[in-house]
Amino acid sequence: MARYERDGGGNNFNHRDRDRNGGGEGGDGTGPFNRGRPLHRRPVTDYGTPVANWVRNRAMEWRGVPNDYMRPSIQWTIDLLPPAAYTNNPAMSIPTKHIHASLNKIKHPINVVKWTPEGRRLLTGSSSGEFTLWNGMGFNFETIMQAHDCAIRVCQYSHAGDWLLSGDQEGIVKYWQPNFNNVKILQAHNEPVRDLSFSPTDAKFVTASDDGTLRIWDFDGGVEERTLTGHGWDVKSVDWHPTKGLIVSGSKDHLVKLWDPRTARCLTTLHGHKSTISKSLFQPSRGDLLATCARDQTCRIFDLRAMKDLCILRGHEKDISSLAWHPFHAQLISTGGSDGAINHYLIDEHSPTSSSSAAVICPAASVPYAHEYAIWSMEYHPLGHILCSGSNDRITRFWTRPRPGESDSFRDRYHIGEEAAAAMGTYDRRRRYRQEEEDEQDDAEDALVDQNLQPTSITGGQGGQGIPGMPGLPGMPGLGNMPGIPGVGAGQIPGMPQIPGMGTQIPGMGGPQIPGFPPPPPPPNMPPIPIPDFAAMFANGSLPPPGTIPPPPLPPPPGQLPPGFVPPPLPGMGLPGLGMPMPGLPGIPGIGGGEGGMPGLPGLPGLPGLGQGMPGMPGLPGLGMQGQHGQQQQQQDDRRGSGGQQGGQGGGIRRRGPLPSQKDSLREAQRSGFRN
């Protein structure tokens, strides 16, 4: 783990020789070095110190007036408190500074990001169906598991934090315990599950699917209770009110509907958007506001008390794909676009022109180059000091609030782009790639011990020798050790019993003995096996000297017979010089099992041309019936009158009969039942 410094700011870190703005400006030469370059320092957000300071130093606010103020100076960093301490100043909690980018070795688009209830870890769900856990303070990799067989679309923790539900592309919902033990699998829909939400009591949950319906389920029994129908297209989002019996849903039909879960009745329909609804969420702390975003580049805030639009959030140049409410500040909301931009809005910064029109609010802060592709999911840390975003660019990014008086974070590549940041000296592409490699290496080193994969090699075997799953030959480098034949080699093949009385080896054949067992005695009355003396045999000329044995002849070309091999006779002809074939098999007289064959010697089964041919292998021409194929061909030739008698008398040439006409073939096919 690289060295770092905590400053007690809850989200801040003090790096003296390296900037953390996606590459930084480089070291000053005074810090530690690794192979000639400054060591990569991993950021750490230690929220324990600011929380302890807040609990220790907070006092009763007289008439609601806070007594803690922050100065825009770096010296005030140690006095920075958690976002919950600044309830009247939401601008103190806007996360605009990038602190870390986490990505797996096998990269897939990130569809879901979800903080665990205690905020110690971040759970991500990818399009490959994998769950990945990241540390919530050091942002390093912890573990990964295959949760679904297809893309994960949604994950949701219960309000009590005891259960986790996940839905995938195939409409399956799975129950998970906090230790990620899968206890139940539920086929909720036949189409992809796009969103789900728990009821305030965690006794029920609702799912939204591409089949155009919402279904309310009993959590304990996994039984469907009600089906909410009314949308004319895919339902993309659903949320259950944090304290009331109210459900909101957004669909591809551009409509936002409010439902009564007790009666499955639609209470009202909102027609404000002009495109597909991407996300709809109730404000978590108060529940008086409803936020909806769509692909029309707008986000609308709906006031449930007045039942009208409160404001319209503009500023995105592309479709809005996700949004997230701050857990403590009801005025702060963040949105993510399909172009990778993140905008932060303060909805109390508006002055409506009239009571009938909704106010238009521009972003209070914007990160236009946060991701390279669409942002599919966003969520705040339970303490509100970190924002996490998962994107289609396969990267999970962590964002936090800048330190007091810090302005360098607004000049990084996420705010002004790579080219402008490189021109200002705040971004280096080569250093970025090196930093990502170091992050991956650190994540692999800091992973959980029980999830570490054993190192494997391409050859397998002991010490990396041999091919995996294929034992090698003994004595050959790189091929491992091959188990010997029972009683002959050095070992025994697993699963093969030994021959009784033979022991582990044949006497005199060598090979190691089993430890602790004496060698078996030789069988009675068995003479010793003589060992040939090859040196003496070479000396007296019994064996030719090594290297003088001529090589074997080359095989003949295709279609030619080896030298000295007599070609077989043609069909219907006897052996050369015999005139006519003897009764029996055609081609070889007196060998077959028919008439005229050798008495007591029937045809050999399975050999082509010697009785019954080998199935699937026709015999050589002139050597019998050539198996089943030869029999069929012989019968066809006999029916056609191909001159078999002539061939039998004098080995004449066969003549083929005329081909049948097309009309005869059609009639024959119709009689056999083929009518198409």
Side-chain angles (χ1 to χ4, degrees), residues 339-462:
D339 57 351
I342 296 179
N343 289 346
H344 305 283
Y345 298 89
L346 296 176
I347 60 178
D348 58 352
E349 294 182 351
H350 72 281
S351 55
T353 57
S354 63
S355 59
S356 60
S357 61
V360 177
I361 299 179
C362 297
S366 179
V367 188
Y369 304 98
H371 287 271
E372 297 179 1
Y373 299 104
I375 301 175
W376 297 129
S377 181
M378 301 172 61
E379 189 175 27
Y380 276 93
H381 190 275
L383 290 179
H385 65 293
I386 296 178
L387 173 67
C388 181
S389 59
S391 170
N392 199 43
D393 60 4
R394 305 169 295 180
I395 299 178
T396 304
R397 297 193 183 276
F398 297 86
W399 310 85
T400 187
R401 52 185 179 172
R403 291 173 293 183
E406 184 179 25
S407 60
D408 294 340
S409 60
F410 297 96
R411 295 185 289 113
D412 59 5
R413 68 183 183 94
Y414 304 105
H415 288 80
I416 61 177
E418 294 185 357
E419 297 182 358
M424 296 181 63
T426 59
Y427 171 69
D428 187 357
R429 185 184 299 271
R430 293 175 298 179
R431 181 170 296 173
R432 170 198 172 190
Y433 295 149
R434 184 169 66 246
Q435 173 184 338
E436 292 179 354
E437 294 176 358
E438 294 175 357
D439 288 344
E440 292 182 0
Q441 183 178 0
D442 293 343
D443 291 343
E445 294 175 356
D446 297 337
L448 295 181
V449 178
D450 58 346
Q451 294 292 336
N452 282 340
L453 298 178
Q454 297 296 331
T456 57
S457 61
I458 61 174
T459 56
Q462 298 179 357

Side-chain angles (χ1 to χ4, degrees), residues 126-200:
S126 65
S127 60
S128 62
E130 295 175 340
F131 277 163
T132 305
L133 276 179
W134 305 91
N135 188 276
M137 295 180 61
F139 315 112
N140 56 294
F141 169 81
E142 287 198 354
T143 185
I144 187 173
M145 62 174 293
Q146 188 70 36
H148 289 262
D149 297 333
C150 56
I152 300 174
R153 293 301 178 186
V154 60
C155 294
Q156 185 68 41
Y157 276 97
S158 62
H159 294 87
D162 298 334
W163 293 95
L164 170 69
L165 291 180
S166 62
D168 62 10
Q169 183 73 17
E170 296 179 352
I172 296 177
V173 174
K174 291 188 177 183
Y175 289 51
W176 303 88
Q177 291 178 337
N179 59 353
F180 294 98
N181 179 29
N182 182 216
V183 297
K184 194 170 187 177
I185 299 178
L186 179 65
Q187 184 68 46
H189 296 268
N190 295 326
E191 298 291 335
V193 176
R194 293 295 179 177
D195 203 356
L196 60 86
S197 179
F198 274 95
S199 66

Side-chain angles (χ1 to χ4, degrees), residues 619-656:
L620 296 177
L623 294 182
M625 301 298 294
Q626 303 181 6
Q628 183 177 1
H629 177 73
Q631 295 177 5
Q632 296 177 357
Q633 186 68 26
Q634 185 79 9
Q635 294 174 3
Q636 293 178 4
D637 294 344
D638 292 344
R639 287 198 302 267
R640 294 177 182 177
S642 55
Q645 296 180 358
Q646 297 179 3
Q649 296 177 1
I653 301 175
R654 298 189 180 189
R655 298 179 181 178
R656 296 184 179 273

